[in-house]
């Protein structure tokens, strides 16, 4: 029932997720942060059961940090991080699959538009895209993104597109996902733009 959005724009990426932690008919919390920071300029939004969501997010982020420490501070590009992530999903298929779908985004100075976005599913497939959605949200919001996304968008336009998708989801989707968190990744790094409920409020 999780929702993850991703939109790239000229200079960065916007990633948004719902903040609900639920299982079956029970809701545990409404202030969960499902967007894990992988490095100073990359993050991934993850959907799936909370146990796999937390375990996979921490496993990927800690391994990317370990790579930097082991290689004199050399950072992996967003493309390399996405391929590492995809590889770990594929490797786990025959051991104990992670039941997660991922949207990974980041900022690289060498990339022409700055930001890049990758969509991955639990089967280990990986696709570079300009925008995307994971979960039931894709049934409602991909058509909006397809119509309204355009080359050369700025940050404000990308955030407006994500917020428009969230409004549509709240209006059309059977399940009430009240709170969403939106993060922006650009040359300044990863920052939280807004949230429905404070993730640090435990």
């Amino acid at each position: 029932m999780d929702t993850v959005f991703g939109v790239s724009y000229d200079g960065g990426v916007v990633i948004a997720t719902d903040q609900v932690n639920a299982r079956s008919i029970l809701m545990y919390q409404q202030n969960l942060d499902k967007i894990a920071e992988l490095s100073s300029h990359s993050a991934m939004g993850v959907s799936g059961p909370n146990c796999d969501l937390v375990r996979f997010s921490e496993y990927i982020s800690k391994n990317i940090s370990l790579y930097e420490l082991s290689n004199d501070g050399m950072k992996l590009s967003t493309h390399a991080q996405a391929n590492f992530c995809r590889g770990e999903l594929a490797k786990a298929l025959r051991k104990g699959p992670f039941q997660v779908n991922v949207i990974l985004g980041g900022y690289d100075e060498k990339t022409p538009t700055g930001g890049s976005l990758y969509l991955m599913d639990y089967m280990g497939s990986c696709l570079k895209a300009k925008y995307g959605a994971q979960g039931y949200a894709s049934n409602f919001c991909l058509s909006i993104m397809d119509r309204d996304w355009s080359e050369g968008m700025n940050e404000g336009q990308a955030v407006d597109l994500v917020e428009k998708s969230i409004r549509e989801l709240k209006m059309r989707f059977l399940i009430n996902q009240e709170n969403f968190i939106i993060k922006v990744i650009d040359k300044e790094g990863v920052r939280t733009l807004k949230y429905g409920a404070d993730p640090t409020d435990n």
Side-chain angles (χ1 to χ4, degrees), residues 89-90 92-93 97-102 120-125 134:
L89 284 169
L93 275 177
F98 293 105
Q99 298 293 320
V100 295
N101 295 315
V102 177
M120 284 162 269
D121 69 6
Y122 72 100
M123 295 295 286
S125 64
Q134 298 277 26

Side-chain angles (χ1 to χ4, degrees), residues 135-200:
Y136 285 112
S138 59
N139 295 302
F140 303 93
C141 302
L142 283 178
S143 57
I144 295 172
M145 293 178 176
D146 188 51
R147 181 186 64 196
D148 292 350
W149 188 90
S150 60
E151 291 284 353
M153 289 178 74
N154 58 34
E155 180 187 319
Q157 291 170 320
V159 171
D160 286 345
L161 179 53
V162 167
E163 290 182 333
K164 187 175 184 179
S165 299
I166 291 171
R167 286 195 300 272
E168 184 72 13
L169 198 62
K170 286 182 176 181
M171 181 169 62
R172 304 288 183 191
F173 193 26
L174 174 69
I175 294 168
N176 179 29
Q177 294 177 326
E178 185 64 30
N179 298 325
F180 283 81
I181 185 168
I182 302 173
K183 292 188 180 183
V184 173
I185 308 158
D186 57 16
K187 63 181 178 181
E188 304 298 328
V190 181
R191 69 181 192 277
T192 302
L193 192 67
K194 58 180 69 176
Y195 50 72
D198 189 350
T200 62

Side-chain angles (χ1 to χ4, degrees), residues 6 12 16-17 25 37 50 56 58 64 71 98-99 101 130 134-135 140 173 188:
T17 70
I25 62 170
E37 293 186 23
N50 191 251
F56 185 71
E58 290 186 353
I64 288 173
N71 292 275
F98 293 105
Q99 298 293 320
N101 295 315
K130 302 295 185 182
Q134 298 277 26
F140 303 93
F173 193 26
E188 304 298 328

